[in-house]
Amino acid sequence: MYLRRRIIDRLSGTWMVISLVTILLLPLIIGVGLYIKAAPVFEQHTLTELITSSNWAPTKGKFGFWPFIAGSLYVTVLAFIFSAPVCLLAAIHLTQYASKKLVRIIHPVIDILAGLPSVIYGVWGILIIVPFISGYLAPLFGQNTTGYSILAGGIVLAIMCIPYMLNMLMEVFKTVPMGTREASLSLGATYWESIKHVVIRHSRPGIVSAFGLSLAKAFGETIAVMMVVGNRVLSSLNPFDPGYPLPALIANNYGEMLSIPMYDAALMFAALLLLVIILVINLFFRYLIHKTQKA
Amino acid sequence: MSFSNIDTMTEVSVEQREINDVSSTILQIKDLNVYVEDHHILKNINLEIPKNRVTVLLGPSGCGKTTLLKCMNKLTDLYRELEVSGSILIDGDDILNTSKNVPSIRQKMGLLSQRPYPLPVSIYKNVAYGIKLKGIRDKKLIQYSVQKNLEEVGLWDEVKDRLNSPATSLSIGQQQRLCLARGLAVKPRIILADEPTSALDPISSKTIEELFRRLKKHYTIILVTHVLRQAIRLADNVVFMSDGAIIEQGSPDELFNNPQTDKLKEYLVEGN
């Protein structure tokens, strides 16, 4: 009997370790795989050239990825700027002010939004956001655009991020002990002062973490953004101009035009770049979390 | 405002309180009822709290002691599901039905919870928080007040070299004294203590009890406890509650030696 229990104990422990190692190795395996497939492109171009050049002419063997990197960053930053304040304020309201009844109604709505396939957001972006930008917003700023733009990508991506970010922020704010809020109010603070000095301060590492995870998720988002961003190789600062983020480049071209020499390897490099940038974003936010925890 | 001014303000008010009428009523509760949906959790509470005395709210868990305490500084506002009616008078103002600003009402009642809840800032900033909320901006004045209140709770010598460390780095007992210092820094009239020693070890509990004994010269203390021995040690006035209602109230001698109701008799037997 005891021997059987010991065997089960050992087996379960071993399986846990195997699962953990698999999870830990997964990014490494993906990274190494991508590197091997992308290796041919390094034989003809330096890393700096690939990252900083804007010259994109695959048929001539020119692979400058800067417009794609810039496009991805621009769309992601816009999405973050649009979604972060909205989510922060909504999460504060839902956890600190709203009645339980309202929270009960809102929760399933957020879950439904989070579960919608990204293609639906893309279609909605084409039907609503793109015409709104071309017909109303761009003319306001004296711009002439089809509406398929970095701004459209940013807005659609922001809306996609909202349920995800809001859910995380709500969970973060719920961890603030009621006693800490009561202590602040008892000292004569108003609700807002308590939120500003106690709730937000207490939640800072969690807020940073929620922002970081949302940003990393947004950076890799493909379909919806690809449908509204215009997909033109441009590195413009004008948000009404089209852009071409990295995931869209891979999704649009992989499997096609692979007869062009090195194109396959270049697209694998784009995927590797995406992986590295997301890793860097995550590491940066880990550092920020560490800093805010120490503060 | 100078240091002597802030001292004088405190001293004068303390002296006045002592000279005026030590045994007079500072807080009066009339016909207080609290409901949560269909549950009647506080039933027609009528109570007078004497000045500069320790009033102990005694009773079994779930009898409404903490809810009663939270009504006194309007923390019940945080719980939308609670329906509160009646009146609570302090300085002649009915705090339940007043249009006066709630933060200033709450500053009259320092709160000490069951377990310490230090703010997520340094030791220094914890004590300075309430002072700044009172509109005091003079750094030297704040510094002086922080030191004075930390000394009052006997914590200054233990933390003077690490005032900028997070408050959470202190032991639980020290955190509870910090919370008391933080509450005292806003110069409350009443200290509301909700089982403040329940999470502490016996030595820290003893320190808090000694502090209360000392502080009652200057403050009115309302202490919630279900520890009979603590009530006997500290109380000047005892209110026994059960099932949301006040069953008996009076001096410790009257209640503990000559209980009138079966509920209190039973509680005293069980408690011992």
Side-chain angles (χ1 to χ4, degrees):
Chain A
M1 183 67 182
Y2 175 66
L3 184 70
R4 188 169 169 267
R5 282 171 63 200
R6 270 199 69 178
I7 292 169
I8 291 172
D9 195 42
R10 274 283 172 86
L11 275 177
S12 56
T14 312
W15 274 116
M16 282 179 221
V17 173
I18 291 171
S19 309
L20 185 68
V21 170
T22 311
I23 291 167
L24 289 175
L25 283 178
L26 219 55
L28 193 71
I29 294 167
I30 295 171
V32 170
L34 289 175
Y35 180 80
I36 292 167
K37 295 287 273 179
V41 88
F42 294 120
E43 289 167 12
Q44 291 179 14
H45 306 276
T46 64
L47 183 64
T48 320
E49 198 183 306
L50 287 168
I51 291 175
T52 57
S53 168
S54 295
N55 194 352
W56 180 258
T59 48
K60 293 176 189 165
K62 307 282 185 196
F63 297 106
F65 281 92
W66 177 244
F68 304 100
I69 299 169
S72 285
L73 287 173
Y74 204 171
V75 170
T76 308
V77 168
L78 277 183
F80 181 74
I81 291 169
F82 295 146
S83 59
V86 173
C87 289
L88 195 62
L89 294 174
I92 289 172
H93 182 82
L94 287 169
T95 53
Q96 310 298 319
Y97 291 98
S99 64
K100 283 182 181 168
K101 197 176 167 188
L102 178 66
V103 177
R104 273 202 298 271
I105 295 168
I106 290 282
H107 251 302
V109 175
I110 298 169
D111 291 342
I112 290 168
L113 285 175
L116 281 184
S118 61
V119 70
I120 292 179
Y121 285 99
V123 170
W124 178 79
I126 291 171
L127 294 175
I128 309 288
I129 302 296
V130 170
F132 174 72
I133 290 174
S134 64
Y136 300 96
L137 204 57
L140 266 180
F141 292 90
Q143 300 284 322
N144 187 17
T145 173
T146 58
Y148 289 94
S149 57
I150 287 174
L151 182 63
I155 294 171
V156 169
L157 194 55
I159 290 160
M160 282 184 74
C161 278
I162 282 173
Y164 190 69
M165 198 189 279
L166 184 58
N167 244 336
M168 280 193 286
L169 287 171
M170 280 174 69
E171 291 307 316
V172 167
F173 289 134
K174 278 184 203 164
T175 63
V176 180
M178 194 62 167
T180 315
R181 278 181 67 199
E182 287 182 353
S184 170
L185 291 168
S186 299
L187 292 167
T190 59
Y191 280 111
W192 174 243
E193 282 164 341
S194 294
I195 287 165
K196 194 170 78 171
H197 297 299
V198 176
V199 176
I200 292 181
R201 203 176 168 98
H202 189 281
S203 313
R204 273 195 321 191
I207 294 171
V208 173
S209 172
F211 283 168
L213 285 170
S214 306
L215 209 65
K217 183 180 151 56
F219 196 84
E221 184 49 51
T222 314
I223 301 294
V225 178
M226 192 174 82
M227 289 167 79
V228 296
V229 81
N231 301 326
R232 270 185 56 204
V233 189
L234 270 178
S235 43
S236 165
L237 282 174
N238 185 349
F240 293 105
D241 280 342
Y244 208 159
L246 275 170
L249 169 76
I250 302 164
N252 271 338
N253 298 296
Y254 194 73
E256 291 175 27
M257 299 195 294
L258 294 183
S259 53
I260 299 169
M262 304 294 285
Y263 202 55
D264 180 26
L267 290 180
M268 287 301 108
F269 174 71
L272 182 64
L273 207 55
L274 199 60
L275 186 77
V276 171
I277 294 172
I278 288 171
L279 195 71
V280 169
I281 292 174
N282 274 315
L283 287 175
F284 174 69
F285 275 92
R286 287 251 148 244
Y287 170 75
L288 280 185
I289 292 165
H290 177 68
K291 290 283 277 183
T292 47
Q293 271 171 340
K294 273 179 79 179
Chain B
M1 204 184 292
S2 68
F3 297 159
S4 56
N5 278 348
I6 203 167
D7 268 349
T8 315
M9 272 168 57
T10 323
E11 297 311 325
V12 166
S13 58
V14 167
E15 272 173 28
Q16 275 176 343
R17 272 180 244 162
E18 283 175 357
I19 292 164
N20 282 348
D21 38 359
V22 171
S23 58
S24 70
T25 301
I26 188 167
L27 189 95
Q28 202 176 5
I29 300 173
K30 288 180 184 171
D31 304 324
L32 181 72
N33 285 283
V34 178
Y35 293 87
V36 181
E37 291 166 359
D38 293 339
H39 296 286
H40 196 176
I41 52 174
L42 282 185
K43 296 166 185 164
N44 214 30
I45 303 289
N46 285 285
L47 182 63
E48 291 190 351
I49 304 288
K51 232 176 204 180
N52 292 35
R53 291 280 185 269
V54 177
T55 297
V56 168
L57 301 180
L58 185 71
S61 297
C63 72
K65 307 183 294 286
T66 299
T67 308
L68 177 57
L69 208 66
K70 285 185 177 174
C71 287
M72 293 181 200
N73 68 350
K74 283 181 80 82
L75 280 178
T76 39
D77 290 359
L78 281 176
Y79 305 88
R80 284 170 176 242
E81 62 274 22
L82 292 181
E83 198 183 305
V84 183
S85 66
S87 57
I88 297 177
L89 297 156
I90 178 165
D91 297 333
D93 283 329
D94 182 0
I95 62 167
L96 288 186
N97 308 295
T98 184
S99 55
K100 280 191 178 170
N101 80 24
V102 178
S104 72
I105 291 171
R106 289 197 180 120
Q107 279 182 332
K108 290 180 181 175
M109 325 260 189
L111 177 73
L112 200 60
S113 306
Q114 283 185 9
R115 45 166 288 220
Y117 287 105
L119 303 177
V121 285
S122 68
I123 295 167
Y124 180 89
K125 284 183 181 170
N126 258 275
V127 187
Y129 184 72
I131 304 169
K132 286 182 183 169
L133 287 174
K134 287 197 119 180
I136 297 169
R137 289 284 173 269
D138 185 331
K139 276 188 178 175
K140 284 184 179 171
L141 208 60
I142 294 170
Q143 232 163 357
Y144 173 78
S145 186
V146 168
Q147 180 173 344
K148 195 167 175 284
N149 286 290
L150 285 171
E151 279 171 351
E152 176 120 67
V153 299
L155 198 60
W156 175 251
D157 287 333
E158 294 165 51
V159 300
K160 64 183 175 193
D161 299 325
R162 50 175 176 144
L163 288 171
N164 291 322
S165 303
T168 45
S169 67
L170 298 172
S171 72
I172 297 291
Q174 287 174 321
Q175 284 183 25
Q176 193 65 304
R177 277 187 285 152
L178 176 71
C179 291
L180 185 55
R182 181 180 71 186
L184 295 180
V186 293
K187 311 250 172 281
R189 308 270 321 266
I190 301 171
I191 296 171
L192 305 174
D194 186 6
E195 298 182 36
T197 59
S198 62
L200 306 184
D201 61 86
I203 295 167
S204 303
S205 300
K206 199 178 161 201
T207 313
I208 295 284
E209 284 187 15
E210 278 165 7
L211 270 170
F212 280 169
R213 249 179 242 120
R214 203 150 46 80
L215 288 170
K216 75 172 180 181
K217 288 176 194 159
H218 308 309
Y219 301 92
T220 301
I221 298 171
I222 303 174
L223 172 69
V224 164
T225 187
H226 54 226
V227 182
L228 203 53
R229 287 174 196 282
Q230 189 173 54
I232 294 166
R233 284 195 295 268
L234 290 173
D236 297 311
N237 180 41
V238 182
V239 178
F240 175 69
M241 292 179 69
S242 180
D243 197 23
I246 294 176
I247 306 297
E248 278 189 57
Q249 54 179 308
S251 70
D253 190 42
E254 283 167 1
L255 260 75
F256 297 140
N257 294 327
N258 190 19
Q260 299 295 310
T261 57
D262 290 342
K263 278 187 178 173
L264 181 55
K265 282 176 192 166
E266 194 184 326
Y267 186 79
L268 293 176
V269 171
E270 295 292 326
N272 277 319

